[in-house]
Each structure stands twice: as structure tokens, then as C-alpha cells.
């Protein structure tokens, strides 16, 4: 049956003929041959997985770096140095060690500062760390960080800080800082010898890296 006939039957003055009734009955029988599909009252499943609650998410712990602290008293001459040079921040102890034969050998002209002797490892700026951390410049003796060393006589010496990496016979990687430049002159001027215990202090003046070399403590005042 057509939509046109359905509309015409509903208009006044029009009625179904015997043929129309027969066609309508035939169509009704055809529709009864197909089973009706039951509609489900359940809502369609949600395929998207909802995120887990925040309380069940793994928490990443932030790495906290701790530096070794020391109770070593700042030598009197370094406290006086801070005042005389108008140093803003307090100089801090960087390393302690006994000098060995290589440290006082004028041909080698360097002070070795093994990483294990460091009291702190935060004394370099980011740019300085990049320079010393570049594997392409390690051990070649040409690139380093400019610095200045002050001895107990308040004399300043131009220095260069470098990084040295070597592998021991057992295969262990050993890393050290090397302080070179005028180091042999420092050894000669202060009469340093193999076995002398030294402490190396660090500070900055106008952003420039300084070291203060202490080997006699408060037992001797070289400025008196």
C-alpha cells in the first residue's frame, strides 16, 4: 500500500474498496512472518575505560640530593679574608686530603682532588658543570674552568680546574678534579711537601670561582 492511499482513506467521502482491503490483509500477513526484535532495557556497555582514582596512581618520589656536612671550624684567616675581600657568602670546606708525591712534583704541576675527598659537589655553576662533564674534553689537558687560589699569605694565583677520569687495573673508574695553572708556584712559595695535610675552601666573588688553601690552620698567622 502506498502512502497516498493511506491519506485518501482518512479523507471524508473516501472508503476502502474490496481490492484495497485484500491488499491490506496481504501486507499484514507478510509482516507477521518476521519475528519482532526485543529491545533491551540495559544501556549499551561503555567501551571507554575510566581512569583509576588518584589515590591508586603510583607516586613518583622526587630525588633529593644530600651533601655531606662538616663541623670543621672556618680558619681565622679565611674569616678575615671574607671581610677584606667583601665576600658575600661564607666560604665552605670543599675537600681535605694529604698531599702525595704527584701533588708536589713540579713536572706534573697539579693538585689532585679525588671525588671521594669532596665534602660538597655543588660548587660549580651549570655552565661549568657542562664544560667539565663533557667526555670529549676529559683528560686532554686543554679545556677547563678558570679559577683563582688564595693562600694563607693572601696571595692570589691563577688556576685552571679540570676533570680527570681513569680506569684502574681492576677496571674501576676513578674520577678526580685537577687544579693546575700556577700550582707548582704555590707549592714552592708555601714550602708544601709530601704528606702535608691541606684543606681546600671555596667561595665566589662577583661570580668568579675562588679557592682558599689552608695547610697550617690557626697555628700560624702568616700576616703577623
Amino acid at each position: 500500500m502506498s502512502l497516498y492511499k493511506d491519506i485518501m482513506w482518512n479523507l471524508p467521502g473516501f472508503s476502502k474498496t474490496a481490492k484495497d482491503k485484500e491488499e491490506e490483509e496481504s501486507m499484514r500477513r507478510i509482516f507477521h512472518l518476521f519475528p519482532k526484535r526485543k529491545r533491551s532495557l540495559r544501556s549499551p556497555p561503555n567501551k571507554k575505560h575510566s581512569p583509576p582514582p588518584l589515590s591508586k596512581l603510583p607516586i613518583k618520589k622526587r630525588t633529593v640530593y644530600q651533601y655531606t656536612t662538616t663541623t670543621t671550624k672556618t680558619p681565622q684567616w679565611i674569616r678575615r679574608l671574607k671581610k677584606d675581600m667583601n665576600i658575600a657568602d661564607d666560604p665552605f670546606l670543599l675537600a681535605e686530603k694529604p698531599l702525595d708525591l704527584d701533588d708536589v712534583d713540579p713536572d706534573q704541576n697539579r693538585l689532585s682532588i679525588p671525588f671521594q675527598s669532596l665534602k660538597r659537589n655543588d660548587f660549580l655553576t651549570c655552565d661549568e658543570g657542562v664544560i667539565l662533564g663533557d667526555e670529549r674534553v676529559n683528560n686532554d689537558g686543554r679545556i677547563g674552568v678558570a679559577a683563582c687560589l688564595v693562600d694563607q699569605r693572601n696571595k692570589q694565583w691563577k688556576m685552571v680546574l679540570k676533570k680527570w677520569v681513569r680506569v684502574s687495573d681492576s677496571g674501576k673508574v676513578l674520577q678526580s678534579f685537577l687544579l693546575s695553572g700556577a700550582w707548582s708556584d704555590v707549592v714552592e712559595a708555601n714550602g708544601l711537601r709530601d704528606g702535608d695535610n691541606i684543606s681546600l675552601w671555596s667561595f665566589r666573588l662577583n661570580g668568579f670561582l675562588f679557592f682558599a688553601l689552608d695547610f697550617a690552620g690557626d697555628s700560624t698567622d702568616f700576616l703577623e
Side-chain angles (χ1 to χ4, degrees):
M1 293 184 294
S2 65
L3 177 61
Y4 173 76
K5 289 184 178 181
D6 290 338
I7 296 174
M8 295 297 294
W9 291 340
N10 294 324
L11 293 175
F14 289 90
S15 61
K16 297 179 182 180
T17 63
K19 186 178 180 180
D20 292 332
K21 292 180 180 180
E22 183 179 351
E23 184 178 350
E24 182 181 2
E25 182 64 24
S26 176
M27 293 297 296
R28 186 182 293 111
R29 291 177 181 176
I30 292 174
F31 283 125
H32 282 309
L33 294 177
F34 295 94
K36 293 183 179 181
R37 187 174 181 180
K38 296 182 180 180
R39 294 181 61 185
S40 175
L41 298 178
R42 293 183 302 174
S43 60
N46 187 7
K47 294 183 180 181
K48 295 183 179 180
H49 298 284
S50 58
L54 294 177
S55 59
K56 294 185 179 180
L57 291 175
I59 301 176
K60 294 183 178 180
K61 294 184 178 180
R62 182 174 62 89
T63 303
V64 179
Y65 299 95
Q66 297 180 348
Y67 303 108
T68 304
T69 57
T70 179
T71 57
T72 302
K73 183 180 178 181
T74 305
Q76 182 177 352
W77 75 270
I78 293 182
R79 295 198 300 270
R80 185 171 57 217
L81 181 71
K82 177 188 176 184
K83 182 178 179 181
D84 294 342
M85 296 182 65
N86 294 320
I87 303 171
D89 298 324
D90 291 334
F92 56 86
L93 179 62
L94 181 62
E96 292 178 310
K97 61 162 288 184
L99 295 177
D100 57 31
L101 288 173
D102 292 334
D103 292 327
V104 296
D105 185 353
D107 294 332
Q108 298 200 36
N109 186 29
R110 93 288 183 279
L111 170 66
S112 174
I113 311 169
F115 276 22
Q116 60 266 27
S117 69
L118 293 174
K119 302 298 181 181
R120 293 176 58 163
N121 59 1
D122 61 340
F123 67 100
L124 297 173
T125 64
C126 293
D127 291 338
E128 292 167 349
V130 170
I131 293 173
L132 297 180
D134 192 336
E135 296 180 355
R136 295 172 297 177
V137 301
N138 285 346
N139 303 345
D140 65 1
R142 290 175 294 178
I143 299 178
V145 173
C148 183
L149 183 139
V150 185
D151 63 15
Q152 288 189 239
R153 294 177 174 83
N154 281 11
K155 186 171 182 179
Q156 298 184 12
W157 309 82
K158 293 181 179 179
M159 311 296 289
V160 178
L161 183 68
K162 304 174 183 178
K163 184 179 177 182
W164 179 264
V165 181
R166 67 183 180 88
V167 180
S168 65
D169 295 337
S170 61
K172 184 178 181 181
V173 178
L174 303 176
Q175 300 187 75
S176 302
F177 286 119
L178 297 182
L179 200 57
S180 60
W183 174 249
S184 291
D185 296 333
V186 175
V187 172
E188 183 179 358
N190 290 276
L192 299 178
R193 298 181 180 180
D194 172 32
D196 287 346
N197 292 313
I198 66 165
S199 61
L200 200 64
W201 298 71
S202 181
F203 62 93
R204 287 188 181 270
L205 184 61
N206 298 325
F208 195 78
L209 179 61
F210 275 77
F211 298 105
L213 177 67
D214 179 71
F215 58 90
D218 292 330
S219 61
T220 304
D221 192 341
F222 293 93
L223 298 181
E224 286 185 350

